[in-house]
Amino acid sequence: EYIWVGGSGMDMRSKARTLPGPVTDPSKLPKWNYDGSSTGQAPGQDSEVILYPQAIFKDPFRRGNNILVMCDAYTPAGEPIPTNKRHAAAEIFANPDVIAEVPWYGIEQE
């Protein structure tokens, strides 16, 4: 099941796909497309949006070899669409200065 953020930026969309066998690496999955005009993510005259697989998780509902594939959405030219916020975050987290930081975690009691 390919999953991505919908046009409102607050909803989730998904599309099922049958694969020839088990896959554990998102880079081994094919890119896929959908009509972005129906989700408010592309104009009607140029509505193709491409899904780039980013992460794989075991499907807890269907179990077995079924997987959930978290995707980013791009234009056919390879530009991230406006609801693709993970693209900008990935660029920030790939920065060597950010990688060198040591994050602090703590419990917030309220």
PDB file of all heavy atoms in Angstrom, residues 72-96:
ATOM      1  N   ASP A  72       6.858  10.191  -0.856  1.00  0.00           N
ATOM      2  CA  ASP A  72       6.873  11.624  -1.123  1.00  0.00           C
ATOM      3  C   ASP A  72       6.276  11.826  -2.504  1.00  0.00           C
ATOM      4  O   ASP A  72       6.399  10.955  -3.368  1.00  0.00           O
ATOM      5  CB  ASP A  72       8.303  12.164  -1.138  1.00  0.00           C
ATOM      6  CG  ASP A  72       8.913  12.290   0.237  1.00  0.00           C
ATOM      7  OD1 ASP A  72       8.177  12.156   1.238  1.00  0.00           O
ATOM      8  OD2 ASP A  72      10.125  12.523   0.315  1.00  0.00           O
ATOM      9  N   ALA A  73       5.665  12.981  -2.729  1.00  0.00           N
ATOM     10  CA  ALA A  73       5.034  13.263  -4.016  1.00  0.00           C
ATOM     11  C   ALA A  73       5.793  14.367  -4.757  1.00  0.00           C
ATOM     12  O   ALA A  73       6.171  15.380  -4.167  1.00  0.00           O
ATOM     13  CB  ALA A  73       3.579  13.666  -3.804  1.00  0.00           C
ATOM     14  N   TYR A  74       6.006  14.130  -6.054  1.00  0.00           N
ATOM     15  CA  TYR A  74       6.776  15.047  -6.906  1.00  0.00           C
ATOM     16  C   TYR A  74       6.061  15.276  -8.230  1.00  0.00           C
ATOM     17  O   TYR A  74       5.250  14.460  -8.661  1.00  0.00           O
ATOM     18  CB  TYR A  74       8.164  14.449  -7.203  1.00  0.00           C
ATOM     19  CG  TYR A  74       9.073  14.397  -6.017  1.00  0.00           C
ATOM     20  CD1 TYR A  74       8.989  13.364  -5.093  1.00  0.00           C
ATOM     21  CD2 TYR A  74      10.016  15.390  -5.806  1.00  0.00           C
ATOM     22  CE1 TYR A  74       9.827  13.320  -3.988  1.00  0.00           C
ATOM     23  CE2 TYR A  74      10.854  15.346  -4.706  1.00  0.00           C
ATOM     24  CZ  TYR A  74      10.758  14.310  -3.806  1.00  0.00           C
ATOM     25  OH  TYR A  74      11.584  14.279  -2.712  1.00  0.00           O
ATOM     26  N   THR A  75       6.418  16.365  -8.896  1.00  0.00           N
ATOM     27  CA  THR A  75       5.941  16.604 -10.256  1.00  0.00           C
ATOM     28  C   THR A  75       6.697  15.660 -11.194  1.00  0.00           C
ATOM     29  O   THR A  75       7.745  15.118 -10.808  1.00  0.00           O
ATOM     30  CB  THR A  75       6.217  18.056 -10.700  1.00  0.00           C
ATOM     31  OG1 THR A  75       7.640  18.230 -10.803  1.00  0.00           O
ATOM     32  CG2 THR A  75       5.618  19.070  -9.740  1.00  0.00           C
ATOM     33  N   PRO A  76       6.217  15.476 -12.424  1.00  0.00           N
ATOM     34  CA  PRO A  76       6.974  14.648 -13.374  1.00  0.00           C
ATOM     35  C   PRO A  76       8.390  15.181 -13.636  1.00  0.00           C
ATOM     36  O   PRO A  76       9.290  14.421 -13.992  1.00  0.00           O
ATOM     37  CB  PRO A  76       6.125  14.692 -14.639  1.00  0.00           C
ATOM     38  CG  PRO A  76       4.739  14.913 -14.143  1.00  0.00           C
ATOM     39  CD  PRO A  76       4.904  15.835 -12.954  1.00  0.00           C
ATOM     40  N   ALA A  77       8.612  16.483 -13.416  1.00  0.00           N
ATOM     41  CA  ALA A  77       9.941  17.083 -13.610  1.00  0.00           C
ATOM     42  C   ALA A  77      10.862  16.828 -12.411  1.00  0.00           C
ATOM     43  O   ALA A  77      12.025  17.207 -12.438  1.00  0.00           O
ATOM     44  CB  ALA A  77       9.810  18.582 -13.846  1.00  0.00           C
ATOM     45  N   GLY A  78      10.332  16.200 -11.345  1.00  0.00           N
ATOM     46  CA  GLY A  78      11.152  15.888 -10.186  1.00  0.00           C
ATOM     47  C   GLY A  78      11.145  16.938  -9.090  1.00  0.00           C
ATOM     48  O   GLY A  78      11.923  16.863  -8.147  1.00  0.00           O
ATOM     49  N   GLU A  79      10.260  17.925  -9.187  1.00  0.00           N
ATOM     50  CA  GLU A  79      10.151  18.962  -8.159  1.00  0.00           C
ATOM     51  C   GLU A  79       9.149  18.512  -7.090  1.00  0.00           C
ATOM     52  O   GLU A  79       8.096  17.978  -7.425  1.00  0.00           O
ATOM     53  CB  GLU A  79       9.667  20.284  -8.774  1.00  0.00           C
ATOM     54  CG  GLU A  79      10.621  20.874  -9.783  1.00  0.00           C
ATOM     55  CD  GLU A  79      11.933  21.293  -9.152  1.00  0.00           C
ATOM     56  OE1 GLU A  79      11.912  21.838  -8.033  1.00  0.00           O
ATOM     57  OE2 GLU A  79      12.992  21.060  -9.768  1.00  0.00           O
ATOM     58  N   PRO A  80       9.455  18.723  -5.793  1.00  0.00           N
ATOM     59  CA  PRO A  80       8.488  18.346  -4.760  1.00  0.00           C
ATOM     60  C   PRO A  80       7.227  19.201  -4.872  1.00  0.00           C
ATOM     61  O   PRO A  80       7.319  20.403  -5.120  1.00  0.00           O
ATOM     62  CB  PRO A  80       9.233  18.622  -3.454  1.00  0.00           C
ATOM     63  CG  PRO A  80      10.334  19.550  -3.805  1.00  0.00           C
ATOM     64  CD  PRO A  80      10.667  19.315  -5.247  1.00  0.00           C
ATOM     65  N   ILE A  81       6.061  18.578  -4.713  1.00  0.00           N
ATOM     66  CA  ILE A  81       4.814  19.356  -4.741  1.00  0.00           C
ATOM     67  C   ILE A  81       4.676  20.084  -3.409  1.00  0.00           C
ATOM     68  O   ILE A  81       5.350  19.742  -2.427  1.00  0.00           O
ATOM     69  CB  ILE A  81       3.592  18.470  -5.059  1.00  0.00           C
ATOM     70  CG1 ILE A  81       3.347  17.440  -3.965  1.00  0.00           C
ATOM     71  CG2 ILE A  81       3.749  17.788  -6.409  1.00  0.00           C
ATOM     72  CD1 ILE A  81       2.030  16.698  -4.120  1.00  0.00           C
ATOM     73  N   PRO A  82       3.825  21.118  -3.322  1.00  0.00           N
ATOM     74  CA  PRO A  82       3.748  21.933  -2.091  1.00  0.00           C
ATOM     75  C   PRO A  82       3.452  21.161  -0.806  1.00  0.00           C
ATOM     76  O   PRO A  82       3.928  21.551   0.259  1.00  0.00           O
ATOM     77  CB  PRO A  82       2.626  22.929  -2.402  1.00  0.00           C
ATOM     78  CG  PRO A  82       2.679  23.074  -3.888  1.00  0.00           C
ATOM     79  CD  PRO A  82       3.027  21.697  -4.402  1.00  0.00           C
ATOM     80  N   THR A  83       2.701  20.077  -0.870  1.00  0.00           N
ATOM     81  CA  THR A  83       2.397  19.325   0.359  1.00  0.00           C
ATOM     82  C   THR A  83       3.519  18.361   0.747  1.00  0.00           C
ATOM     83  O   THR A  83       3.420  17.689   1.770  1.00  0.00           O
ATOM     84  CB  THR A  83       1.081  18.533   0.219  1.00  0.00           C
ATOM     85  OG1 THR A  83       1.153  17.704  -0.936  1.00  0.00           O
ATOM     86  CG2 THR A  83      -0.108  19.465   0.127  1.00  0.00           C
ATOM     87  N   ASN A  84       4.585  18.312  -0.030  1.00  0.00           N
ATOM     88  CA  ASN A  84       5.723  17.436   0.281  1.00  0.00           C
ATOM     89  C   ASN A  84       6.668  18.167   1.232  1.00  0.00           C
ATOM     90  O   ASN A  84       7.697  18.690   0.834  1.00  0.00           O
ATOM     91  CB  ASN A  84       6.444  17.025  -1.010  1.00  0.00           C
ATOM     92  CG  ASN A  84       7.607  16.095  -0.754  1.00  0.00           C
ATOM     93  OD1 ASN A  84       7.974  15.827   0.377  1.00  0.00           O
ATOM     94  ND2 ASN A  84       8.199  15.606  -1.820  1.00  0.00           N
ATOM     95  N   LYS A  85       6.322  18.199   2.503  1.00  0.00           N
ATOM     96  CA  LYS A  85       7.137  18.893   3.520  1.00  0.00           C
ATOM     97  C   LYS A  85       8.369  18.073   3.909  1.00  0.00           C
ATOM     98  O   LYS A  85       9.362  18.618   4.390  1.00  0.00           O
ATOM     99  CB  LYS A  85       6.311  19.179   4.768  1.00  0.00           C
ATOM    100  CG  LYS A  85       5.011  19.917   4.506  1.00  0.00           C
ATOM    101  CD  LYS A  85       5.226  21.272   3.909  1.00  0.00           C
ATOM    102  CE  LYS A  85       3.907  22.012   3.767  1.00  0.00           C
ATOM    103  NZ  LYS A  85       3.955  23.107   2.871  1.00  0.00           N
ATOM    104  N   ARG A  86       8.323  16.748   3.738  1.00  0.00           N
ATOM    105  CA  ARG A  86       9.444  15.896   4.119  1.00  0.00           C
ATOM    106  C   ARG A  86      10.681  16.189   3.277  1.00  0.00           C
ATOM    107  O   ARG A  86      11.802  16.074   3.759  1.00  0.00           O
ATOM    108  CB  ARG A  86       9.059  14.417   3.986  1.00  0.00           C
ATOM    109  CG  ARG A  86       9.924  13.515   4.859  1.00  0.00           C
ATOM    110  CD  ARG A  86       9.949  12.096   4.348  1.00  0.00           C
ATOM    111  NE  ARG A  86      10.682  12.011   3.103  1.00  0.00           N
ATOM    112  CZ  ARG A  86      12.017  12.000   3.021  1.00  0.00           C
ATOM    113  NH1 ARG A  86      12.765  12.070   4.088  1.00  0.00           N
ATOM    114  NH2 ARG A  86      12.611  11.925   1.853  1.00  0.00           N
ATOM    115  N   HIS A  87      10.493  16.632   2.028  1.00  0.00           N
ATOM    116  CA  HIS A  87      11.632  16.946   1.165  1.00  0.00           C
ATOM    117  C   HIS A  87      12.504  18.037   1.785  1.00  0.00           C
ATOM    118  O   HIS A  87      13.727  17.899   1.876  1.00  0.00           O
ATOM    119  CB  HIS A  87      11.138  17.360  -0.222  1.00  0.00           C
ATOM    120  CG  HIS A  87      12.240  17.814  -1.123  1.00  0.00           C
ATOM    121  ND1 HIS A  87      13.076  16.933  -1.770  1.00  0.00           N
ATOM    122  CD2 HIS A  87      12.672  19.050  -1.466  1.00  0.00           C
ATOM    123  CE1 HIS A  87      13.962  17.603  -2.477  1.00  0.00           C
ATOM    124  NE2 HIS A  87      13.737  18.894  -2.306  1.00  0.00           N
ATOM    125  N   ALA A  88      11.878  19.118   2.229  1.00  0.00           N
ATOM    126  CA  ALA A  88      12.635  20.221   2.846  1.00  0.00           C
ATOM    127  C   ALA A  88      13.270  19.760   4.154  1.00  0.00           C
ATOM    128  O   ALA A  88      14.416  20.111   4.451  1.00  0.00           O
ATOM    129  CB  ALA A  88      11.716  21.417   3.091  1.00  0.00           C
ATOM    130  N   ALA A  89      12.552  18.955   4.937  1.00  0.00           N
ATOM    131  CA  ALA A  89      13.102  18.444   6.196  1.00  0.00           C
ATOM    132  C   ALA A  89      14.310  17.551   5.924  1.00  0.00           C
ATOM    133  O   ALA A  89      15.320  17.633   6.635  1.00  0.00           O
ATOM    134  CB  ALA A  89      12.037  17.676   6.968  1.00  0.00           C
ATOM    135  N   ALA A  90      14.227  16.714   4.903  1.00  0.00           N
ATOM    136  CA  ALA A  90      15.345  15.814   4.566  1.00  0.00           C
ATOM    137  C   ALA A  90      16.587  16.617   4.182  1.00  0.00           C
ATOM    138  O   ALA A  90      17.704  16.243   4.543  1.00  0.00           O
ATOM    139  CB  ALA A  90      14.941  14.865   3.439  1.00  0.00           C
ATOM    140  N   GLU A  91      16.401  17.725   3.462  1.00  0.00           N
ATOM    141  CA  GLU A  91      17.541  18.581   3.108  1.00  0.00           C
ATOM    142  C   GLU A  91      18.181  19.175   4.358  1.00  0.00           C
ATOM    143  O   GLU A  91      19.405  19.241   4.468  1.00  0.00           O
ATOM    144  CB  GLU A  91      17.101  19.688   2.161  1.00  0.00           C
ATOM    145  CG  GLU A  91      16.843  19.214   0.750  1.00  0.00           C
ATOM    146  CD  GLU A  91      16.512  20.354  -0.202  1.00  0.00           C
ATOM    147  OE1 GLU A  91      16.029  21.417   0.253  1.00  0.00           O
ATOM    148  OE2 GLU A  91      16.742  20.176  -1.405  1.00  0.00           O
ATOM    149  N   ILE A  92      17.364  19.613   5.309  1.00  0.00           N
ATOM    150  CA  ILE A  92      17.889  20.183   6.553  1.00  0.00           C
ATOM    151  C   ILE A  92      18.659  19.125   7.335  1.00  0.00           C
ATOM    152  O   ILE A  92      19.787  19.353   7.778  1.00  0.00           O
ATOM    153  CB  ILE A  92      16.749  20.763   7.410  1.00  0.00           C
ATOM    154  CG1 ILE A  92      16.160  22.005   6.721  1.00  0.00           C
ATOM    155  CG2 ILE A  92      17.235  21.097   8.819  1.00  0.00           C
ATOM    156  CD1 ILE A  92      14.861  22.488   7.308  1.00  0.00           C
ATOM    157  N   PHE A  93      18.061  17.950   7.495  1.00  0.00           N
ATOM    158  CA  PHE A  93      18.691  16.900   8.308  1.00  0.00           C
ATOM    159  C   PHE A  93      19.904  16.279   7.635  1.00  0.00           C
ATOM    160  O   PHE A  93      20.701  15.615   8.295  1.00  0.00           O
ATOM    161  CB  PHE A  93      17.669  15.838   8.688  1.00  0.00           C
ATOM    162  CG  PHE A  93      16.640  16.346   9.661  1.00  0.00           C
ATOM    163  CD1 PHE A  93      15.298  16.314   9.354  1.00  0.00           C
ATOM    164  CD2 PHE A  93      17.026  16.866  10.886  1.00  0.00           C
ATOM    165  CE1 PHE A  93      14.348  16.781  10.246  1.00  0.00           C
ATOM    166  CE2 PHE A  93      16.083  17.341  11.786  1.00  0.00           C
ATOM    167  CZ  PHE A  93      14.735  17.301  11.467  1.00  0.00           C
ATOM    168  N   ALA A  94      20.087  16.496   6.331  1.00  0.00           N
ATOM    169  CA  ALA A  94      21.260  15.988   5.629  1.00  0.00           C
ATOM    170  C   ALA A  94      22.446  16.955   5.725  1.00  0.00           C
ATOM    171  O   ALA A  94      23.567  16.608   5.363  1.00  0.00           O
ATOM    172  CB  ALA A  94      20.930  15.731   4.160  1.00  0.00           C
ATOM    173  N   ASN A  95      22.209  18.158   6.233  1.00  0.00           N
ATOM    174  CA  ASN A  95      23.262  19.153   6.376  1.00  0.00           C
ATOM    175  C   ASN A  95      24.297  18.650   7.392  1.00  0.00           C
ATOM    176  O   ASN A  95      23.940  18.233   8.491  1.00  0.00           O
ATOM    177  CB  ASN A  95      22.641  20.476   6.853  1.00  0.00           C
ATOM    178  CG  ASN A  95      23.664  21.571   6.995  1.00  0.00           C
ATOM    179  OD1 ASN A  95      24.645  21.437   7.716  1.00  0.00           O
ATOM    180  ND2 ASN A  95      23.425  22.677   6.321  1.00  0.00           N
ATOM    181  N   PRO A  96      25.600  18.695   7.056  1.00  0.00           N
ATOM    182  CA  PRO A  96      26.638  18.201   7.972  1.00  0.00           C
ATOM    183  C   PRO A  96      26.602  18.858   9.353  1.00  0.00           C
ATOM    184  O   PRO A  96      26.876  18.203  10.363  1.00  0.00           O
ATOM    185  CB  PRO A  96      27.946  18.505   7.250  1.00  0.00           C
ATOM    186  CG  PRO A  96      27.570  18.629   5.811  1.00  0.00           C
ATOM    187  CD  PRO A  96      26.163  19.139   5.782  1.00  0.00           C
TER     188      PRO A  96
END
